[in-house]
Amino acid sequence: MSIKRETIADTFALISFGLVVGMSVELFVAGLSIEQSLHSRLLSIPVNLLVARAYGIYRDWVMAQGRKMTRNSLMDSVMDIVAFLTFQMPVYAVLVGTSGASLDQVITACMGQLGALILMARPYGIYMQMCRNWFAERATVQTA
C-alpha cells in the first residue's frame, strides 16, 4: 500500500473510531450532553490528524517485535495493548496537562484511562487493519 493510502486509512481509522467510541463513553459513562460530547469529539480531530499516521507506523513496529517471538492471536492482542498504551497514554497526558491540570490531576486522569485503553487496544488494532484493507489499492483487471 502506498504511504498516501496508509496515511488516509490510519487517519480515517483513528478519527472514526475515536468518534464512535469516545462519544459512547462520554454520553453513557461520563454523562456528558450530546453538545458537550460533539464539542469534545470536534476538538479531538486536529490531534488525531497529527498522530494517526505516527501511531500506525509505531504500531506496525511494535507488532513486528512481537511476531519475532511468536505469531499468534494472543501475542497480537498483547502487542496491540503495548502499542496503544505506550503511544496513546503520553498523548492523553499532554492533552490533559495542557488543559491546565496539575501533575496530580494528570496522573489521576491517566490512571483512570488505563482500563479503557487496554480494552480499546485490540478492537482498534483490528479496525485500523480493516481500514487499511478498505483503502488498499486494488489490482485492475485489463480486458482485451
Side-chain angles (χ1 to χ4, degrees), residues 76-140:
D76 286 348
S77 294
V78 168
M79 298 317 284
D80 257 332
I81 291 168
V82 168
F84 211 60
L85 281 177
T86 58
F87 189 94
Q88 298 296 350
M89 189 65 81
V91 170
Y92 179 72
V94 168
L95 290 174
V96 173
T98 58
S99 71
S102 69
L103 180 58
D104 285 344
Q105 289 172 319
V106 171
I107 292 169
T108 300
C110 287
M111 296 312 293
Q113 279 289 88
L114 189 61
L117 290 175
I118 290 170
L119 290 175
M120 290 187 300
R122 187 61 182 147
Y124 178 68
I126 292 167
Y127 179 68
M128 186 176 74
Q129 192 56 53
M130 281 179 25
C131 290
R132 286 178 171 181
N133 293 342
W134 292 336
F135 284 90
E137 296 176 48
R138 306 282 185 235
T140 57

Side-chain angles (χ1 to χ4, degrees), residues 45-89:
I45 290 173
V47 175
N48 290 341
L49 286 169
L50 290 173
V51 302
R53 183 63 188 131
Y55 176 71
I57 293 167
Y58 178 71
R59 178 188 176 267
D60 290 346
W61 179 80
V62 170
M63 297 299 280
Q65 302 314 302
R67 289 179 179 144
K68 287 178 184 177
M69 292 181 264
T70 184
R71 190 175 182 112
N72 61 45
S73 60
L74 178 60
M75 178 60 77
D76 286 348
S77 294
V78 168
M79 298 317 284
D80 257 332
I81 291 168
V82 168
F84 211 60
L85 281 177
T86 58
F87 189 94
Q88 298 296 350
M89 189 65 81

